[in-house]
Amino acid sequence: MRGLASVFRTVGVLASAGLLAATAAVPSAQAKPEPKAPKEFVALSSVDRTIIQEMRYTTVHNFVGEKVDGYRQPLCILTRPAAEALHRAQVKLLARGYSLKVYDCYRPQRAVDHFVRWAKDLQDEEMKKEFYPLVDKSRLFADGYIAEKSGHSRGSTVDLTIVKLPAAHTRPYVPGEPLVECSAPQDRRFPDNSVDMGTGFDCFDTLSHTDDPRIQGAQRVNRQLLKGTLAEQGFVNLPEEWWHFTFKPEPFPSTFFDFPVARRSVAGH
């Protein structure tokens, strides 16, 4: 009992000196709050609810083969000017019986870092057959498929395609299912309810170059429809990727953000 009383006296002394409170406050003081998006960012759905969202990096169906760091929810986040420009493009396409479908929008820097780590691991080729069948993984940096910074992290770049309405149902990817080359004919590739663009999304192949001369007929028409419709609203296409567009002028031309893709990041905007 005397030992227990001694403990209580010690606790009382520490508490009166404020030492216990200071000690308890250390962990919370060290914890960094999760960054939030600047007020210029919005959820695309708050600007246009009709644009289809199939956010690939929240799933395992992507070239990494796992959910990507920083993607907490299947949500498209963009700067407001980019989102409003997409809305204007969507209005044009809806009148023609089509809809936009986004695959990726704002991308946190931590996601880019995930891509870089994956690219440096030359043993991990789980998704090679679908996404980069003709490219040696050791060439991903040199050939420009992977970089340590991405325009997506500035908030005004989007990866997207066009869907003919009414949109057909797309079955989910089953992990471990047989993979088919992203450059194969559309009826052999993983099913996607988009119009035929000649390759799948995120296909590391020169066939993905927007104006590759091997892409002809309906595939070329579809690419030009996407490119032309978005160009009218201020989007500039990346020539190496038919799906990649950046709104100009960018509100944040040199800032690479790292807040997570989550509703709380843009809550109240």
Side-chain angles (χ1 to χ4, degrees), residues 57-78:
Y57 299 141
T58 64
T59 76
V60 299
H61 189 213
N62 57 67
F63 59 85
V64 176
E66 62 184 0
K67 184 176 178 180
V68 179
D69 291 354
Y71 287 87
R72 306 280 176 79
Q73 295 169 317
L75 179 72
C76 174
I77 294 175
L78 289 168

Side-chain angles (χ1 to χ4, degrees), residues 27 49 77 94 97 106 125 129 137 169 190 211 221 255 267:
R49 293 185 177 276
I77 294 175
L94 288 175
Y106 157 75
E125 295 191 326
K129 186 173 181 181
K137 193 174 182 184
H169 172 72
F190 180 81
D211 294 320
V221 170
T255 305

Side-chain angles (χ1 to χ4, degrees), residues 24 38-40 46 112 119 152 169 171 174 190 208 216 220 234-235 247 252 264:
K39 60 182 179 58
E40 290 86 352
S46 70
V112 179
H152 282 275
H169 172 72
R171 71 168 179 84
V174 179
F190 180 81
S208 295
Q216 295 294 327
R220 191 170 191 83
F235 285 93
F247 177 77
F252 299 99
R264 67 173 300 279

Side-chain angles (χ1 to χ4, degrees), residues 1-154:
M1 292 297 292
R2 285 197 299 270
L4 186 59
S6 176
V7 170
F8 285 140
R9 283 197 298 273
T10 301
V11 169
V13 170
L14 290 174
S16 63
L19 294 179
L20 282 183
T23 302
V26 169
S28 60
Q30 292 176 341
K32 293 182 179 179
E34 192 78 276
K36 291 193 67 175
K39 60 182 179 58
E40 290 86 352
F41 282 79
V42 295
L44 176 62
S45 59
S46 70
V47 176
D48 192 311
R49 293 185 177 276
T50 68
I51 296 175
I52 301 168
Q53 298 190 30
E54 185 181 319
M55 309 305 291
R56 286 287 184 89
Y57 299 141
T58 64
T59 76
V60 299
H61 189 213
N62 57 67
F63 59 85
V64 176
E66 62 184 0
K67 184 176 178 180
V68 179
D69 291 354
Y71 287 87
R72 306 280 176 79
Q73 295 169 317
L75 179 72
C76 174
I77 294 175
L78 289 168
T79 59
R80 182 174 291 278
E84 291 175 347
L86 276 191
H87 166 67
R88 295 192 297 270
Q90 176 75 341
V91 170
K92 298 278 189 180
L93 287 171
L94 288 175
R96 301 180 61 171
Y98 295 96
S99 173
L100 292 171
K101 179 172 81 170
V102 294
Y103 293 115
D104 190 35
C105 302
Y106 157 75
R107 180 184 305 165
Q109 180 61 45
R110 70 190 76 179
V112 179
D113 296 342
H114 190 168
F115 292 165
V116 170
R117 290 195 306 273
W118 166 83
K120 290 179 178 179
D121 181 1
L122 301 184
Q123 303 306 309
D124 182 357
E125 295 191 326
E126 178 183 356
M127 305 300 284
K128 176 178 174 62
K129 186 173 181 181
E130 179 173 353
F131 292 97
Y132 53 109
L134 302 180
V135 179
D136 190 292
K137 193 174 182 184
S138 65
R139 296 284 310 171
L140 293 181
F141 289 103
D143 291 349
Y145 293 111
I146 300 293
E148 294 186 351
K149 294 290 184 181
S150 170
H152 282 275
S153 301
R154 301 194 297 262

